[in-house]
Amino acid sequence: MSRFSMRNGTWSVGESSSSTSLSSQHDNEDDRMIALVLTEEYANLDRGVAKRLSNLAPVPVTNPLFH
């Protein structure tokens, strides 16, 4: 249920506390699920990058000043 109120000469629309808290709980659950999925995806990417980096051939370093 929405409520209208006037403060400092402006109108605002607010939600009732029960629907606001329920919506907030759903948002928190959604945020946790998104964080979990992203954590798993980033871990998979990190493992893939680590494998590729460990398979790179060494690059010889030369300093042109000492030739």
Side-chain angles (χ1 to χ4, degrees):
M1 175 198 283
S2 295
R3 290 179 286 156
F4 294 93
S5 62
M6 184 172 191
R7 285 189 192 163
N8 300 326
T10 60
W11 285 97
S12 64
V13 178
E15 296 293 323
S16 68
S17 60
S18 62
S19 64
T20 300
S21 64
L22 184 58
S23 174
S24 182
Q25 286 175 344
H26 288 299
D27 289 345
N28 288 340
E29 291 171 10
D30 290 345
D31 289 347
R32 284 188 198 105
M33 182 58 71
I34 291 168
L36 178 62
V37 169
L38 287 175
T39 300
E40 291 172 359
E41 288 298 317
Y42 288 144
N44 290 337
L45 288 172
D46 287 344
R47 281 191 291 276
V49 170
K51 284 180 186 177
R52 286 192 295 277
L53 288 175
S54 65
N55 291 329
L56 288 176
V59 177
V61 178
T62 59
N63 189 337
L65 297 177
F66 296 110
H67 272 282

